Amino acid sequence: MAYRGTVKPYSNFDAKKDAEVLYKAMKGLGTDEKTILELVTARCNAQRQYIKAAYKTLYGKDLVHDLKSELGGQFETVIISLMETPLSYDVTELRKAIKGIGTSENVLIEILASRTPSQVVEMNNYKNSRNICPNFASWLSLYCVVRVFPQALFAAGEKKFGTDEDQFITILGNRSADHLRRVFDEYKKLSGFEIEESIKRETSGSLRDLFLAVVKCARSVPAYFAECLYKAMKGIGTDEHTLCRIMVSRSEVDMLDIRTEFRKMFATSLYSMIKSETSGDCRKTLLLLCGGDDA
């Protein structure tokens, strides 16, 4: 399969040299933000981890700590996010979502609905289910081992009075995209309804949002993220945290496909919308992660 990310491994990579460049960019009065953002976005995540190790060896200091002390605002957020491993970043975002009073369920939905079964298993090892409603806790502990039949979906929803939500959780938690798409086709033959219609009728609240996100991701993960990015930027104000999270987490996965879907779905390009809805060094960093315009 062709590589679909916008951030690729740097061909002439030298972790020691990069560590020295970053150190000089932060040394003394003032910080060279341009050098930092251009270097960090031009290295893949694995290379950034080598840079962190080289920095520690050369200077006896933690690179992330130094970056935090020199940067600020949303620019700091996106650069620090890029320095985390993908698993660590997902876990960090999940923990933030369930920490304190209330739960940021939209973050839980976005991450858990879009990741692969093996990624969910890895995240499950880190999970802390405090402050998560029972159905979300059940979702976190799924291990994708149940064989799914469309009849079970039909029996759990349209065929009965009331809805067996645990059955829906078990079925959608299987989350093999190809398999789920076949299930959805068979479900329509059995019930006469698209699965989205039944979910909207038979469930409500956060659980409904989670199920719908899983279905959208089964149909097209890039289209799902294109929609999430658009919602984060449309209207008055921009949800910069969501924008940052998606751009960081998908930059080495499928950003090229997200850009294509974004252009098809909306009357603008992702690059253009980021440019108009953000500012400063954060905008420069996000545009580099976007990797180009599709105007």
Side-chain angles (χ1 to χ4, degrees), residues 202-218:
E202 300 290 332
T203 62
S204 62
S206 299
L207 199 61
R208 177 186 61 194
D209 294 339
L210 173 59
F211 290 161
L212 289 174
V214 172
V215 173
K216 287 178 181 179
C217 287

Side-chain angles (χ1 to χ4, degrees), residues 107-121:
V107 178
L108 294 175
I109 290 168
E110 177 204 299
I111 294 175
L112 296 172
S114 62
R115 302 308 191 253
T116 65
S118 62
Q119 288 172 324
V120 174
V121 170

Side-chain angles (χ1 to χ4, degrees), residues 19 38 41 46 53 69 80-81 112 147 178-180 194 221 226 239 241 274 294:
E38 289 182 351
T41 57
S69 68
I80 298 305
S81 299
L112 296 172
R147 178 148 181 93
D178 289 339
H179 184 74
L180 281 178
E194 293 286 358
V221 170
D239 182 352
H241 194 78
I274 290 173
D294 304 295

Side-chain angles (χ1 to χ4, degrees), residues 184-230:
F184 300 156
D185 289 342
E186 289 301 313
Y187 181 87
K188 186 175 182 180
K189 292 176 184 178
L190 283 169
S191 68
F193 302 107
E194 293 286 358
I195 185 66
E196 291 93 334
E197 297 177 70
S198 293
I199 288 172
K200 289 175 182 178
R201 273 196 300 269
E202 300 290 332
T203 62
S204 62
S206 299
L207 199 61
R208 177 186 61 194
D209 294 339
L210 173 59
F211 290 161
L212 289 174
V214 172
V215 173
K216 287 178 181 179
C217 287
R219 296 198 188 282
S220 172
V221 170
Y224 170 73
F225 278 117
E227 182 181 353
C228 290
L229 286 167
Y230 181 77

